Amino acid sequence: MTGSSLSTRFVHAGERRGAPAGVPASTPIYASSSFIYERVEDIDRIVEGEVSDFVYSRYGNPTVAAFEDAMAAIENGKFAIAYGSGMAALHAALLASELSTGSIVLASKDLYGSTFELLLTVFGAFGVKTVTEDFTDVAALRAKAFELQPRVLLCETISNPLLKVCDIGECSQIAKEVGAKLIVDNTFATPYLCRPLDLGADLVVHSATKYLGGHADATGGVVIAKEDFDKPALLGALTLAGGVLSPWEAHSILRGIKTLGLRMEKQCSNAERLANELRRSPQISEVIYPKFFEGEQAASLDNTFHGSEFGAIVTIRLADDTREASYRFLNALNLCTRAASVGDLFTGIVHPATATHRELSPKQREKIGVTEGLIRISVGIEDVNDIIADIEQALAVSTACGSERQKSAGTVEHTSAAATWKEI
Ligand code: PLP
């Protein structure tokens, strides 16, 4: 080390010892924004693209690269690019799809609410038009695609919270027929249930914040592509828009992926058992779970999921289909969390009408089936008997309190809840 004064040693002492001879068993967190080389010519060759290595973490970081390699491998893609969140990944996938003023995005009407907002506000401001269609109605989708000649078809493998399954093979066939790119948000299915690139999709997007990370401790996103020609645009969207994933988050998500198979296996079997139990409950009017699909939806499921499991989310509609009953149920839960996210290893339950679909008017929600008594359960890895017991006791509390209130009709709680409902 040059310079021996104490203040110089404070800055340089202990740093840059070089890599150990042994390869670390687990990818280290490379918490470094830049990388130093012996000769400036080395940096030049990397920046020029003649040599693949790391110079500056917005352009690439070894921990993030390990996560990207893992995603390309498990989604059967050519390469993957990581971003700071699922929304940043969706933004990048759309930016990389040659959209310009007058382009049309044909989007599934069951998309995550913020994805709609992204399309309408960010891309809409540049003259990109978004048209929605029911992607589970293949004939209607084909007719709309031929009529509009969209540049992009955008859907989710499993919709939230009604769990509609898109036939990805059919959607990709339609995209090819009209020369559009098919982007699939595979967050809810994960590659454990479905690999959209194998079924013809062009780009797969994940909110890694959900099942991939799985521990509610990291926010991230990723786009996986089938063809190399998408790389410059996806990298450009990363390095210029700058929504990079931090190496700390990449490390957490990479660790999460190691147990994705184990978690999904347990979560899917817990969900199936829970769905079967809840079907017997008189306090529930409908249990939505892909196992119970019939007709076209059952066929889409067969074509799209590669195993014999049905996912880890169960959606229920309370017999008392009101906000008051939903809140009583949610507030009575002792074990299951009232978490806003999905895909964590603990059971998380949300009220879609006031969470994921809050921005919609009551009429719009009613139209798409997101009624006040609809509840989404993201099933965790706990002992399923404990999950069932907690949900059953909360249903019992909710029903008992409901009957008490009905006896004293016109109570203050009922009036104030109704007022809140009208204000939204
Ligand atoms: N896609 C889906 C299906 C989601 O549910 C979410 C978030 O809930 C996102 C994308 C956005 O992900 P993130 O919160 O990581 O930005």
Side-chain angles (χ1 to χ4, degrees), residues 78-392:
K78 217 30 175 301
F79 68 93
I81 309 279
Y83 300 86
S85 69
M87 289 314 299
L90 277 159
H91 179 230
L94 289 162
L95 274 182
S97 298
E98 295 161 24
L99 294 172
S100 55
T101 305
S103 304
I104 293 177
V105 174
L106 185 51
S108 160
K109 72 178 181 55
D110 293 297
L111 284 183
Y112 171 56
S114 296
T115 309
F116 272 128
E117 282 193 61
L118 171 71
L119 285 166
L120 297 178
T121 57
V122 178
F123 287 92
F126 293 101
V128 174
K129 195 173 165 207
T130 296
V131 178
T132 60
E133 183 52 79
D134 180 356
F135 272 46
T136 63
D137 183 342
V138 172
L141 178 63
R142 177 170 274 111
K144 195 58 107 13
F146 271 90
E147 179 199 330
L148 298 175
Q149 297 293 312
R151 187 158 306 273
V152 169
L153 262 63
L154 174 61
C155 65
E156 292 167 12
T157 328
I158 309 177
S159 78
N160 171 26
L162 297 169
L163 312 183
K164 292 185 185 165
V165 175
C166 282
D167 189 324
I168 303 296
E170 289 280 3
C171 294
S172 84
Q173 180 57 37
I174 294 170
K176 280 185 185 67
E177 286 168 19
V178 298
K181 188 164 255 179
L182 175 64
I183 303 175
V184 178
D185 183 333
N186 200 30
T187 299
F188 274 40
T190 85
Y192 181 82
L193 294 173
C194 170
R195 285 189 294 270
L197 297 180
D198 290 352
L199 300 170
D202 298 289
L203 298 177
V204 165
V205 178
H206 278 275
S207 165
T209 318
K210 311 291 181 332
Y211 288 100
L212 298 178
H215 292 67
D217 58 4
T219 299
V222 62
V223 180
I224 307 102
K226 200 161 58 180
E227 302 294 350
D228 276 333
F229 56 70
D230 281 315
K231 201 165 196 172
L234 284 168
L235 269 178
L238 178 78
T239 58
L240 300 177
V244 293
L245 182 69
S246 98
W248 303 89
E249 309 284 280
H251 184 266
S252 294
I253 299 166
L254 193 55
R255 186 165 53 186
I257 291 171
K258 294 181 198 316
T259 56
L260 179 66
L262 291 172
R263 283 186 281 116
M264 283 301 282
E265 191 180 344
K266 176 80 171 157
Q267 286 174 264
C268 290
S269 83
N270 277 358
E272 189 171 347
R273 170 80 199 286
L274 177 69
N276 284 327
E277 292 289 331
L278 294 182
R279 268 190 137 185
R280 286 196 274 273
S281 169
Q283 289 120 331
I284 295 172
S285 64
E286 187 182 2
V287 176
I288 303 169
Y289 188 60
K291 182 184 178 179
F292 309 138
F293 289 170
E294 290 170 355
E296 260 185 51
Q297 270 291 277
S300 292
L301 185 81
D302 271 354
N303 296 341
T304 301
F305 284 17
H306 49 65
S308 55
E309 286 149 304
F310 302 97
I313 298 171
V314 179
T315 299
I316 56 173
R317 202 180 308 278
L318 300 181
D320 181 357
D321 196 358
T322 62
R323 181 171 297 193
E324 293 90 331
S326 292
Y327 278 19
R328 284 197 303 271
F329 167 73
L330 285 158
N331 287 332
L333 292 166
N334 293 322
L335 170 74
C336 302
T337 60
R338 287 167 286 275
S341 195
V342 302
D344 295 318
L345 46 71
F346 48 80
T347 301
I349 306 193
V350 298
H351 181 234
T354 51
T356 52
H357 289 65
R358 194 182 180 95
E359 296 87 19
L360 302 189
S361 68
K363 228 188 198 143
Q364 286 171 312
R365 285 197 292 265
E366 193 83 30
K367 200 167 155 203
I368 59 168
V370 178
T371 58
E372 290 293 324
L374 197 77
I375 307 273
R376 185 194 73 195
I377 308 168
S378 168
V379 184
I381 64 166
E382 303 96 335
D383 185 319
V384 68
N385 294 312
D386 292 335
I387 302 171
I388 293 168
D390 190 36
I391 290 174
E392 282 181 344

Side-chain angles (χ1 to χ4, degrees), residues 47-67:
V47 175
E48 203 48 42
E50 290 165 19
V51 178
S52 169
D53 221 311
F54 304 96
V55 168
Y56 185 61
S57 275
R58 180 158 52 80
Y59 288 88
N61 172 283
T63 318
V64 177
F67 164 57

